[in-house]
Amino acid sequence: MTRDDMTLERFAVLLDAYGADPVRWPDAERDPARALLDRSAEARARRDATAALDALLDRATTAQPSPGLAERILAEAPRARVVPLRRSVRGRIAAVVGLAAAASLALWLVHRPAPRPTLEQAALGQLGEYQTPTDSLLSATELDADDTMPEFGCDDPEVDCDDSDLAQVRPTAALPFMYRGFA
Amino acid sequence: MLRVARGDRDACRVLVERHLARVVAFAGRVLGNPNEAEDVSQEAFARVWTSAATWRPGVARFTTWLHRVVLNLCLDRIARRREAPLDDAPEPADPAPTPARRMEEAEVTRLVTREIEALPERQRVALALCHYQGMRNDETAEIMGITVEAVESLLSRARRTLRERLRPFAGDLLGA
């Protein structure tokens, strides 16, 4: 709305609704209404009549807060949580120590050396594919178990064994040292 | 409001000092009872304290929001009054003085106050917000949940009614 667009009819509606004080008029219509007041005696007369009602309305009583009301309201206001200084400092130290420990653990997990193999794991590694302990031990000395195992007790006459086996007994010198006691 | 939510006592005090008188005045005009106006004001600030933590700046002007809270609390009380037995209803206003009698200052005040309280509820609320609380028409519309045109209509009817009712007693002031 431009300054010249305010009509007397619309101005009357403004006065009727908002009164004579331009402060209460809608922002968009304030300047055009003032412009109309400048150029229209009838607009000014209507404004003055309306101002009388405004003056009456301003004489109405207004409730005032009683003296204790503000304090009663403030008594219900939220309060900041007060943390004792010593407790606060202790809490911060604990937090820092905890963070440092966590950081150290993380660093160690990332950069730790690869675990060294145990003695047992090393021995098994050297033996190659696991079959049976006996096979491994024998293969290390290139002995054949079928050729070297003795028949138990058949060369001792006191045990009264069958003589037919004696002819098959091999010389003990050919046995590994761990079997010589049986020959 | 952010400082209020953190329990900043100075911020709470500033908020109360800045708004309490207007809140009490508005509630007083809507309810027509200063004691109830104080109760409503206390309830309204209790809402402020509980809402401070979730207050979102920029969504609404604090003053507009606060008036809406006060208005809702007032309307709740008015609704309860209607449901209350007659014995609990407020005392009726004094009978009107005779038109011929020249009115003293205090009587003018009492009469104007009484006639405003006698307005229909929505007219009274619109007048209280626009004339007495200094709200813009769009703010009044937002608080009341109606259009700007409806606000304008309510205001016109309220002022016309007051002019007619006050003319017999204050014709000299109204240019009768």
Side-chain angles (χ1 to χ4, degrees):
Chain A
M1 178 178 281
T2 67
R3 289 176 61 85
D4 297 329
D5 286 343
M6 177 62 67
T7 63
L8 201 56
E9 290 72 26
R10 176 59 189 164
F11 185 68
V13 171
L14 282 186
L15 293 176
D16 211 22
Y18 303 103
D21 190 343
V23 170
R24 296 191 179 98
W25 296 344
D27 292 343
E29 295 180 283
R30 189 175 298 117
D31 284 346
R34 279 181 165 148
L36 179 67
L37 277 175
D38 290 341
R39 63 178 184 267
S40 168
E42 188 175 351
R44 289 192 293 275
R46 290 190 181 194
R47 189 265 322 265
D48 294 344
T50 302
L53 179 61
D54 287 354
L56 266 184
L57 295 183
D58 290 341
R59 290 164 75 165
T61 53
T62 300
Q64 303 285 339
S66 61
L69 180 59
E71 292 308 319
R72 289 202 300 276
I73 288 170
L74 284 168
E76 298 174 350
R79 294 174 184 277
R81 284 185 300 169
V82 179
V83 179
L85 183 62
R86 191 175 293 176
R87 193 175 145 199
S88 171
V89 170
R90 249 189 289 155
R92 288 183 184 188
I93 290 172
V96 168
V97 169
L99 280 173
S104 303
L105 179 62
L107 278 172
W108 180 78
L109 286 172
V110 170
H111 297 291
R112 65 177 170 169
R116 298 176 66 179
T118 62
L119 187 58
E120 188 179 343
Q121 287 172 324
L124 287 173
Q126 286 181 351
L127 290 174
E129 187 179 351
Y130 179 81
Q131 296 171 342
T132 65
T134 306
D135 291 344
S136 301
L137 291 169
L138 294 178
S139 65
T141 54
E142 297 180 350
L143 291 174
D144 186 340
D146 293 335
D147 291 342
T148 56
M149 282 296 286
E151 285 78 10
F152 285 88
C154 291
D155 58 341
D156 188 348
E158 292 184 4
V159 299
D160 194 23
C161 60
D162 187 356
D163 291 341
S164 62
D165 289 338
L166 289 175
Q168 299 174 14
V169 174
R170 309 280 174 90
T172 56
L175 293 174
F177 69 93
M178 70 280 279
Y179 295 125
R180 282 178 191 165
F182 297 108
Chain B
M1 284 293 271
L2 295 174
R3 289 173 58 198
V4 168
R6 289 198 296 264
D8 184 330
R9 303 295 290 175
D10 291 338
C12 295
R13 186 171 292 280
V14 166
L15 204 69
V16 170
E17 287 173 354
R18 191 174 293 168
H19 296 281
L20 179 58
R22 290 187 76 203
V23 164
V24 171
F26 177 51
R29 292 199 196 287
V30 177
L31 293 167
N33 182 315
N35 293 329
E36 279 193 296
E38 291 217 348
D39 291 344
V40 160
S41 302
Q42 198 164 348
E43 288 177 49
F45 275 98
R47 302 281 174 92
V48 172
W49 306 146
T50 54
S51 302
T54 54
W55 177 260
R56 287 182 297 165
V59 173
R61 276 184 69 212
F62 175 75
T63 310
T64 307
W65 176 82
L66 182 58
H67 275 82
R68 187 167 188 132
V69 169
V70 174
L71 177 59
N72 287 338
L73 291 169
C74 289
L75 295 179
D76 284 347
R77 283 182 176 255
I78 291 170
R80 286 204 297 272
R81 273 185 205 163
R82 292 190 186 117
E83 295 166 2
L86 193 60
D87 289 348
D88 295 339
E91 290 294 316
D94 293 341
T98 55
R101 186 170 142 198
R102 180 174 177 78
M103 298 185 59
E104 300 294 333
E105 289 291 313
E107 285 181 87
V108 171
T109 295
R110 185 175 57 81
L111 180 65
V112 172
T113 305
R114 190 192 68 185
E115 292 302 335
I116 291 172
E117 289 171 6
L119 286 171
E121 184 180 290
R122 280 152 55 89
Q123 292 181 29
R124 189 169 71 248
V125 170
L127 188 74
L129 286 168
C130 268
H131 186 85
Y132 293 104
Q133 300 299 109
M135 293 286 178
R136 296 194 314 260
N137 56 359
D138 59 329
E139 291 172 328
T140 300
E142 185 183 340
I143 292 166
M144 296 183 71
I146 58 178
T147 63
V148 170
E149 290 74 20
V151 169
E152 207 162 87
S153 172
L154 288 170
L155 288 171
S156 294
R157 282 185 279 158
R159 292 176 66 94
R160 212 172 299 145
T161 301
L162 289 172
R163 181 186 297 276
E164 295 308 314
R165 287 183 181 169
L166 293 173
R167 195 184 302 278
F169 312 104
D172 51 336
L173 294 172
L174 292 173

